[in-house]
Amino acid sequence: MPWNHVSLLRRYTLKIGDENTAMTYLATADRLAHDLHSLEHQAQIAKLYYDIYAKKDDCRRALHYYRTFDQLSDSLTSEKNIVHMQNMRVRYEHEQRRAEVNALNEEYQTEKSLKWVSIMAAVLLFVLGGVTMSFMLYALRSRKRKQMEQHQMEEMRISFFTNITHEFRTPLTVILGYSRMMEEGKVPAGDMAKVGSMVSRQGTRLLSLINQLLDIQKVKSNIGHPDWHHGDIVLFMANIIESHLNMAHSRQITLMYAPKQKKMMCDFVPDYARRCCVQPSDKCHKVLQGGRTGACGA
């Protein structure tokens, strides 16, 4: 029979005055308490025995059960204290372990954060290094390209001055040579017209070179503003060639204009196109002699 049922029956029998039945249930309860090793229940039973024997004026047994109750109460108190201390110790160990686990978690999170920071720093340094190297390579290439351009410009400048010096020297040499011959009287009277024509042609050539230099300087300084037109470049150049046909015919030169296309619409600067056409034509007039044919293709 469970302890709770025995305790209730014992209290009920005492209340109705059935002492013998109460003692029977009390003995059963005492046996169950000893089987369960329950000090608390044993102390309660000893207290009930003490109350019963005190009412019977059985001082010896009442004293015995009072001492038993007192000893069991002390043991129960000590056991509770021990259990409480054990619970406190278990709780303390649990809190300590939890604190250690939290510390390990925090340390892990810190290491993880430091690892990510290290990785990001490494990536950033790699990117910065790549950008720096790219910039340095770009700067070196730009510097090398600039040096090459400067070298090419220097070569072009030297070549230009060499050519222009030669172009100036030839007419000046002719003019100065014939001038000295005329000063010294070495030119026959019959050749004066021929020499004068030669000097005039060389002077005209020299003036043409000077005009070309002025045109170059004009384009370089952006003083001139190109006047762009849209039209048929083939027809425009045909008109220019036609204006030179009479002069070519007077020198017995056959001047022909044979374009590959009959019509070509485009944007062009009339002045530049005129110079590109007139200068080769003038050169042909100077180079070709009578009875020769010059072909101009576009």
Side-chain angles (χ1 to χ4, degrees):
M1 183 179 296
W3 164 262
N4 293 334
H5 294 172
V6 174
S7 178
L8 289 175
L9 290 172
R10 180 258 308 164
R11 292 179 183 274
Y12 175 74
T13 52
L14 285 176
K15 187 175 182 180
I16 63 177
D18 191 353
E19 183 177 341
N20 293 326
T21 304
M23 292 297 289
T24 301
Y25 286 131
L26 195 59
T28 302
D30 186 39
R31 186 173 62 255
L32 289 173
H34 281 82
D35 291 341
L36 294 173
H37 302 286
S38 177
L39 295 178
E40 183 179 0
H41 295 151
Q42 292 177 17
Q44 293 178 2
I45 292 170
K47 181 66 169 58
L48 290 173
Y49 274 123
Y50 166 75
D51 293 338
I52 292 172
Y53 287 115
K55 290 180 180 180
K56 292 181 177 183
D57 293 330
D58 189 347
C59 297
R60 186 179 61 82
R61 290 185 177 180
L63 179 61
H64 170 71
Y65 282 107
Y66 179 78
R67 289 178 177 175
T68 301
F69 169 72
D70 187 56
Q71 291 175 359
L72 291 173
S73 298
D74 291 341
S75 299
L76 183 61
T77 303
S78 299
E79 184 179 359
K80 288 182 178 179
N81 291 333
I82 292 173
V83 172
H84 179 69
M85 291 179 63
Q86 289 178 349
N87 291 334
M88 291 293 294
R89 182 177 179 181
V90 170
R91 185 179 300 173
Y92 172 75
E93 291 179 354
H94 178 70
E95 293 293 336
Q96 188 175 8
R97 289 180 181 176
R98 185 165 62 182
E100 291 177 355
V101 171
N102 292 333
L104 290 175
N105 288 331
E106 291 180 358
E107 184 178 357
Y108 172 75
Q109 293 295 333
T110 302
E111 291 180 355
K112 187 176 180 180
S113 300
L114 290 175
K115 183 178 179 180
W116 278 107
V117 170
S118 301
I119 293 174
M120 294 301 295
V123 172
L124 182 61
L125 289 175
F126 179 77
V127 172
L128 290 176
V131 172
T132 303
M133 290 296 296
S134 300
F135 179 77
M136 292 179 64
L137 289 175
Y138 175 77
L140 290 174
R141 290 179 179 177
S142 299
R143 183 177 179 182
K144 186 176 180 180
R145 182 170 60 253
K146 186 176 180 180
Q147 290 178 351
M148 292 179 62
E149 291 177 354
Q150 290 179 351
H151 181 68
Q152 292 177 356
M153 291 295 293
E154 183 67 19
E155 289 183 350
M156 291 175 63
R157 188 181 68 84
I158 294 173
S159 176
F160 172 77
F161 281 108
T162 300
N163 293 332
I164 199 67
T165 301
H166 178 72
E167 292 291 335
F168 274 109
R169 180 181 295 176
T170 300
L172 286 174
T173 301
V174 173
I175 293 172
L176 292 175
Y178 280 114
S179 298
R180 291 194 185 97
M181 291 176 63
M182 292 174 66
E183 289 178 353
E184 295 174 359
K186 295 181 180 181
V187 179
D191 294 336
M192 289 296 294
K194 184 178 179 180
V195 171
S197 178
M198 182 69 69
V199 172
S200 177
R201 285 199 300 270
Q202 296 300 325
T204 303
R205 182 181 178 188
L206 187 62
L207 180 62
S208 177
L209 291 173
I210 294 174
N211 290 331
Q212 292 179 16
L213 288 177
L214 292 176
D215 291 339
I216 294 174
Q217 183 64 26
K218 185 177 180 181
V219 173
K220 183 178 179 181
S221 60
N222 292 326
I223 296 176
H225 299 281
D227 185 15
W228 290 92
H229 288 267
H230 183 78
D232 187 0
I233 186 67
V234 176
L235 179 61
F236 179 80
M237 295 186 71
N239 293 330
I240 296 175
I241 296 298
E242 186 178 359
S243 64
H244 288 73
L245 290 177
N246 294 329
M247 182 175 62
H249 181 70
S250 64
R251 298 185 181 183
Q252 298 181 354
I253 297 174
T254 302
L255 185 62
M256 298 177 62
Y257 174 56
K260 295 181 180 180
Q261 298 182 12
K262 294 182 179 181
K263 185 177 181 181
M264 179 183 292
M265 303 300 294
C266 64
D267 294 330
F268 62 93
V269 180
D271 187 40
Y272 295 169
R274 185 180 295 105
R275 293 183 185 183
C276 292
C277 187
V278 170
Q279 290 179 1
S281 179
D282 292 340
K283 189 172 183 180
C284 288
H285 292 165
K286 295 177 182 179
V287 174
L288 298 176
Q289 302 296 327
R292 301 290 296 277
T293 301
C296 180

mmCIF file of all heavy atoms in Angstrom, residues 228-247:
data_model
loop_
_atom_site.group_PDB
_atom_site.id
_atom_site.type_symbol
_atom_site.label_atom_id
_atom_site.label_comp_id
_atom_site.label_asym_id
_atom_site.label_seq_id
_atom_site.Cartn_x
_atom_site.Cartn_y
_atom_site.Cartn_z
ATOM 1 N N TRP A 228 34.614 74.138 -94.395
ATOM 2 C CA TRP A 228 34.175 72.861 -94.928
ATOM 3 C C TRP A 228 32.935 73.044 -95.822
ATOM 4 O O TRP A 228 32.057 73.825 -95.528
ATOM 5 C CB TRP A 228 33.841 71.893 -93.792
ATOM 6 C CG TRP A 228 35.042 71.434 -93.034
ATOM 7 C CD1 TRP A 228 35.574 71.996 -91.922
ATOM 8 C CD2 TRP A 228 35.870 70.315 -93.360
ATOM 9 N NE1 TRP A 228 36.686 71.320 -91.515
ATOM 10 C CE2 TRP A 228 36.893 70.265 -92.377
ATOM 11 C CE3 TRP A 228 35.852 69.369 -94.377
ATOM 12 C CZ2 TRP A 228 37.884 69.297 -92.395
ATOM 13 C CZ3 TRP A 228 36.839 68.389 -94.381
ATOM 14 C CH2 TRP A 228 37.846 68.358 -93.408
ATOM 15 N N HIS A 229 32.950 72.272 -96.935
ATOM 16 C CA HIS A 229 31.823 72.250 -97.858
ATOM 17 C C HIS A 229 31.473 70.807 -98.190
ATOM 18 O O HIS A 229 32.338 69.922 -98.143
ATOM 19 C CB HIS A 229 32.160 73.009 -99.161
ATOM 20 C CG HIS A 229 32.231 74.496 -98.983
ATOM 21 N ND1 HIS A 229 31.158 75.329 -99.198
ATOM 22 C CD2 HIS A 229 33.262 75.301 -98.592
ATOM 23 C CE1 HIS A 229 31.519 76.581 -98.951
ATOM 24 N NE2 HIS A 229 32.787 76.592 -98.577
ATOM 25 N N HIS A 230 30.227 70.602 -98.507
ATOM 26 C CA HIS A 230 29.776 69.280 -98.939
ATOM 27 C C HIS A 230 29.401 69.351 -100.418
ATOM 28 O O HIS A 230 28.562 70.172 -100.825
ATOM 29 C CB HIS A 230 28.560 68.819 -98.130
ATOM 30 C CG HIS A 230 28.105 67.436 -98.493
ATOM 31 N ND1 HIS A 230 28.744 66.296 -98.046
ATOM 32 C CD2 HIS A 230 27.067 67.016 -99.285
ATOM 33 C CE1 HIS A 230 28.119 65.231 -98.531
ATOM 34 N NE2 HIS A 230 27.102 65.642 -99.285
ATOM 35 N N GLY A 231 30.047 68.514 -101.219
ATOM 36 C CA GLY A 231 29.760 68.550 -102.648
ATOM 37 C C GLY A 231 30.497 67.450 -103.391
ATOM 38 O O GLY A 231 31.063 66.529 -102.777
ATOM 39 N N ASP A 232 30.530 67.589 -104.728
ATOM 40 C CA ASP A 232 31.170 66.599 -105.592
ATOM 41 C C ASP A 232 32.635 66.987 -105.758
ATOM 42 O O ASP A 232 32.972 67.944 -106.472
ATOM 43 C CB ASP A 232 30.463 66.548 -106.939
ATOM 44 C CG ASP A 232 30.975 65.418 -107.814
ATOM 45 O OD1 ASP A 232 31.884 64.679 -107.361
ATOM 46 O OD2 ASP A 232 30.468 65.275 -108.940
ATOM 47 N N ILE A 233 33.537 66.264 -105.099
ATOM 48 C CA ILE A 233 34.963 66.572 -105.149
ATOM 49 C C ILE A 233 35.540 66.307 -106.544
ATOM 50 O O ILE A 233 36.475 66.989 -106.991
ATOM 51 C CB ILE A 233 35.713 65.746 -104.075
ATOM 52 C CG1 ILE A 233 37.186 66.149 -104.008
ATOM 53 C CG2 ILE A 233 35.576 64.258 -104.343
ATOM 54 C CD1 ILE A 233 37.399 67.538 -103.497
ATOM 55 N N VAL A 234 34.977 65.343 -107.269
ATOM 56 C CA VAL A 234 35.461 65.041 -108.628
ATOM 57 C C VAL A 234 35.198 66.223 -109.558
ATOM 58 O O VAL A 234 36.066 66.655 -110.335
ATOM 59 C CB VAL A 234 34.791 63.765 -109.156
ATOM 60 C CG1 VAL A 234 35.220 63.498 -110.607
ATOM 61 C CG2 VAL A 234 35.150 62.572 -108.273
ATOM 62 N N LEU A 235 33.988 66.811 -109.498
ATOM 63 C CA LEU A 235 33.642 67.959 -110.330
ATOM 64 C C LEU A 235 34.466 69.187 -109.950
ATOM 65 O O LEU A 235 34.909 69.951 -110.819
ATOM 66 C CB LEU A 235 32.146 68.252 -110.197
ATOM 67 C CG LEU A 235 31.612 69.446 -110.989
ATOM 68 C CD1 LEU A 235 31.822 69.223 -112.493
ATOM 69 C CD2 LEU A 235 30.137 69.674 -110.683
ATOM 70 N N PHE A 236 34.699 69.358 -108.614
ATOM 71 C CA PHE A 236 35.467 70.516 -108.147
ATOM 72 C C PHE A 236 36.891 70.456 -108.703
ATOM 73 O O PHE A 236 37.428 71.462 -109.202
ATOM 74 C CB PHE A 236 35.464 70.536 -106.623
ATOM 75 C CG PHE A 236 36.231 71.668 -106.035
ATOM 76 C CD1 PHE A 236 35.684 72.948 -105.952
ATOM 77 C CD2 PHE A 236 37.531 71.477 -105.569
ATOM 78 C CE1 PHE A 236 36.409 73.997 -105.404
ATOM 79 C CE2 PHE A 236 38.251 72.528 -105.023
ATOM 80 C CZ PHE A 236 37.690 73.787 -104.941
ATOM 81 N N MET A 237 37.538 69.305 -108.625
ATOM 82 C CA MET A 237 38.910 69.187 -109.107
ATOM 83 C C MET A 237 38.964 69.250 -110.639
ATOM 84 O O MET A 237 39.952 69.731 -111.214
ATOM 85 C CB MET A 237 39.521 67.871 -108.603
ATOM 86 C CG MET A 237 39.658 67.826 -107.082
ATOM 87 S SD MET A 237 40.533 66.377 -106.491
ATOM 88 C CE MET A 237 42.190 66.756 -107.036
ATOM 89 N N ALA A 238 37.892 68.796 -111.309
ATOM 90 C CA ALA A 238 37.860 68.904 -112.775
ATOM 91 C C ALA A 238 37.856 70.363 -113.210
ATOM 92 O O ALA A 238 38.509 70.745 -114.206
ATOM 93 C CB ALA A 238 36.629 68.175 -113.315
ATOM 94 N N ASN A 239 37.128 71.212 -112.477
ATOM 95 C CA ASN A 239 37.118 72.644 -112.796
ATOM 96 C C ASN A 239 38.500 73.261 -112.613
ATOM 97 O O ASN A 239 38.919 74.137 -113.374
ATOM 98 C CB ASN A 239 36.093 73.357 -111.921
ATOM 99 C CG ASN A 239 34.665 72.935 -112.248
ATOM 100 O OD1 ASN A 239 34.370 72.578 -113.395
ATOM 101 N ND2 ASN A 239 33.779 72.988 -111.263
ATOM 102 N N ILE A 240 39.202 72.825 -111.556
ATOM 103 C CA ILE A 240 40.547 73.357 -111.318
ATOM 104 C C ILE A 240 41.495 72.935 -112.444
ATOM 105 O O ILE A 240 42.293 73.750 -112.965
ATOM 106 C CB ILE A 240 41.070 72.875 -109.943
ATOM 107 C CG1 ILE A 240 40.179 73.442 -108.831
ATOM 108 C CG2 ILE A 240 42.510 73.291 -109.738
ATOM 109 C CD1 ILE A 240 40.529 72.932 -107.456
ATOM 110 N N ILE A 241 41.428 71.651 -112.820
ATOM 111 C CA ILE A 241 42.307 71.166 -113.894
ATOM 112 C C ILE A 241 41.994 71.890 -115.211
ATOM 113 O O ILE A 241 42.888 72.245 -115.989
ATOM 114 C CB ILE A 241 42.148 69.646 -114.056
ATOM 115 C CG1 ILE A 241 42.615 68.924 -112.777
ATOM 116 C CG2 ILE A 241 42.921 69.140 -115.270
ATOM 117 C CD1 ILE A 241 44.064 69.123 -112.445
ATOM 118 N N GLU A 242 40.722 72.154 -115.421
ATOM 119 C CA GLU A 242 40.326 72.830 -116.669
ATOM 120 C C GLU A 242 40.916 74.233 -116.768
ATOM 121 O O GLU A 242 41.254 74.709 -117.858
ATOM 122 C CB GLU A 242 38.804 72.875 -116.743
ATOM 123 C CG GLU A 242 38.282 73.430 -118.062
ATOM 124 C CD GLU A 242 36.770 73.416 -118.143
ATOM 125 O OE1 GLU A 242 36.149 72.942 -117.167
ATOM 126 O OE2 GLU A 242 36.198 73.868 -119.158
ATOM 127 N N SER A 243 41.054 74.888 -115.581
ATOM 128 C CA SER A 243 41.626 76.245 -115.597
ATOM 129 C C SER A 243 43.104 76.248 -115.950
ATOM 130 O O SER A 243 43.670 77.291 -116.280
ATOM 131 C CB SER A 243 41.410 76.912 -114.230
ATOM 132 O OG SER A 243 42.112 76.212 -113.228
ATOM 133 N N HIS A 244 43.780 75.075 -115.871
ATOM 134 C CA HIS A 244 45.202 74.981 -116.192
ATOM 135 C C HIS A 244 45.449 74.416 -117.596
ATOM 136 O O HIS A 244 46.601 74.236 -118.004
ATOM 137 C CB HIS A 244 45.930 74.114 -115.169
ATOM 138 C CG HIS A 244 46.099 74.759 -113.825
ATOM 139 N ND1 HIS A 244 45.048 74.932 -112.948
ATOM 140 C CD2 HIS A 244 47.203 75.303 -113.225
ATOM 141 C CE1 HIS A 244 45.486 75.528 -111.849
ATOM 142 N NE2 HIS A 244 46.792 75.779 -111.996
ATOM 143 N N LEU A 245 44.369 74.083 -118.293
ATOM 144 C CA LEU A 245 44.558 73.474 -119.611
ATOM 145 C C LEU A 245 45.181 74.445 -120.610
ATOM 146 O O LEU A 245 46.033 74.056 -121.431
ATOM 147 C CB LEU A 245 43.211 72.957 -120.133
ATOM 148 C CG LEU A 245 42.628 71.733 -119.404
ATOM 149 C CD1 LEU A 245 41.262 71.373 -119.980
ATOM 150 C CD2 LEU A 245 43.589 70.557 -119.524
ATOM 151 N N ASN A 246 44.769 75.737 -120.545
ATOM 152 C CA ASN A 246 45.302 76.715 -121.506
ATOM 153 C C ASN A 246 46.801 76.901 -121.327
ATOM 154 O O ASN A 246 47.560 76.949 -122.316
ATOM 155 C CB ASN A 246 44.572 78.045 -121.352
ATOM 156 C CG ASN A 246 43.112 77.927 -121.756
ATOM 157 O OD1 ASN A 246 42.777 77.120 -122.633
ATOM 158 N ND2 ASN A 246 42.252 78.737 -121.150
ATOM 159 N N MET A 247 47.235 76.996 -120.049
ATOM 160 C CA MET A 247 48.674 77.179 -119.808
ATOM 161 C C MET A 247 49.445 75.942 -120.257
ATOM 162 O O MET A 247 50.528 76.045 -120.832
ATOM 163 C CB MET A 247 48.918 77.458 -118.321
ATOM 164 C CG MET A 247 50.373 77.714 -117.983
ATOM 165 S SD MET A 247 50.627 78.186 -116.268
ATOM 166 C CE MET A 247 50.041 76.726 -115.432
#
